[in-house]
Amino acid sequence: MLTNKEIRASARKELSGYWTMPVLATLVYFLITSICSVPNVLQTAFRNTSMGAVFSGAGFILSIFVLVPLGYGFGLCFLQFLRGSKEDTVERMFDGFRTYGRALGVQLLTALFELLWMLLFIIPGIIKIFAYSMTIYISRDHPELSANECIERSNDMMKGHKWDLFCLLLSFIGWFLLSCLSLGVGFFWLIPYVNVTVSKFYEELKAQEEAELNEQRMEMNA
């Protein structure tokens, strides 16, 4: 498996010359999520009124029918980018609406498990967030698996690798600070960079898992 430094270098290589679509997808995602957050802002302004209840309901509906599938597609569009779909990243971002049931089940069940762990203990909750971090990628590659099976498979895949992913994400701290200093503009480049890097991390884990399975089959057939 590649080192974290090599994974980041590989992600930069994939993005080199192809930044436009990932950055545009990030901008579109930011605009849509910002618009969908308006009812929540208004709900706070009209708290304890009938209008507040209306805005609260509108915010919930937008979250379920827009933000959940959009977030699912946004996470997966970078995996598709890494696999060669470099010119249709924005279009791929909306794939969650085409498989809405799948997106809803995977996203909500993962969030529920993470929330329950966080309510029990903060540190174990954070650990479980890393353990479940490959769930959406697995759901994309294994449509035959249920949402719960995807979560369990992610948990198995990340055994011994949660610290690796933590260190990988931590290595972006410098870029994060620079993005803050740029008044947030840098995040439109940082977010694609991080997502492509995590997608590459998944590809490495997947290749390692497949190599181990092939080795086991060879030993059984020997």
Side-chain angles (χ1 to χ4, degrees), residues 46-70:
F46 290 91
R47 186 178 300 170
N48 299 325
T49 68
S50 58
M51 287 301 297
V54 171
F55 288 127
S56 178
F60 176 78
I61 291 172
L62 288 173
S63 295
I64 293 297
F65 291 102
V66 178
L67 296 183
V68 168
L70 185 68

Side-chain angles (χ1 to χ4, degrees), residues 14-35:
E14 292 290 338
L15 285 161
S16 180
Y18 295 98
W19 282 96
T20 302
M21 288 297 103
V23 171
L24 182 58
T26 304
L27 176 61
V28 172
Y29 179 77
F30 173 77
L31 290 174
I32 294 175
T33 53
S34 296
I35 293 171

Side-chain angles (χ1 to χ4, degrees), residues 1 128 185:
M1 181 171 175
K128 282 300 180 181
V185 175

Side-chain angles (χ1 to χ4, degrees), residues 68 103-120 125 128-129 132 135 147-148 151:
V68 168
L104 184 66
V106 169
Q107 293 286 76
L108 291 187
L109 190 60
T110 303
L112 176 61
F113 284 174
E114 291 173 348
L115 176 62
L116 291 174
W117 276 103
M118 290 294 288
L119 289 175
L120 289 174
K128 282 300 180 181
I129 288 174
Y132 300 154
T135 300
N148 188 57
I151 292 172

